[in-house]
Amino acid sequence: QLQLVESGGGSVQPGGSLRLSCAASGRRISSYAMAWFRQAPGKEREFVAAITWSGGSTYYADSVKGRFTISRDNAENTAWLQMNSLRSDDTSVYYCAAGAGVRIRNLAEYTTWGQGTQVTVSS
């Protein structure tokens, strides 16, 4: 059974950077699309970024395009989200997810989720 564990969250000032990691265990992620979603208090969970199983294609929410970069290393069984130029509205719990990748931006597509890591952007 695939399990995902996020790490790398924390508190940062506006304009700062963080790198989130998603370490997988139990199964190889090489056959899964990987994605990051986020959820702020009182809001629905929203798509942030996704990457196909091979890493050949990436997808981003408009709100993070040009600031965030998703990547993966199937040999290390890990995915990452590099977040630059962070803003206060990026404050959320960030979740890593694995799925078949057909509707790659769709939350319902993902069957395995991590526990989440808190990112707080504040001065």
Side-chain angles (χ1 to χ4, degrees):
Q1 183 176 353
L2 180 64
Q3 294 181 316
L4 304 173
V5 177
E6 302 96 334
S7 62
S11 295
V12 64
Q13 293 186 340
S17 298
L18 284 173
R19 189 189 196 207
L20 304 184
S21 297
C22 175
S25 62
R27 296 189 69 175
R28 306 301 301 178
I29 64 169
S30 53
S31 59
Y32 295 90
M34 300 297 294
W36 290 90
F37 288 77
R38 66 187 182 186
Q39 187 167 19
K43 294 189 177 182
E44 294 186 351
R45 194 169 297 189
E46 65 175 4
F47 172 78
V48 174
I51 187 167
T52 54
W53 67 270
S54 66
S57 295
T58 56
Y59 305 83
Y60 297 95
D62 288 344
S63 60
V64 307
K65 200 173 295 182
R67 301 187 298 122
F68 290 11
T69 303
I70 189 171
S71 60
R72 67 188 295 160
D73 187 324
N74 289 339
E76 292 191 24
N77 226 27
T78 302
W80 296 273
L81 184 69
Q82 177 67 44
M83 305 186 296
N84 298 330
S85 302
L86 282 161
R87 312 184 308 214
S88 58
D89 60 356
D90 293 318
T91 296
S92 284
V93 177
Y94 284 73
Y95 297 90
C96 175
V102 176
R103 297 168 296 165
I104 203 163
R105 296 173 185 266
N106 193 318
L107 183 148
E109 181 74 7
Y110 295 88
T111 53
T112 302
W113 293 83
Q115 83 290 348
T117 186
Q118 176 70 46
V119 171
T120 302
V121 184
S122 174
S123 56

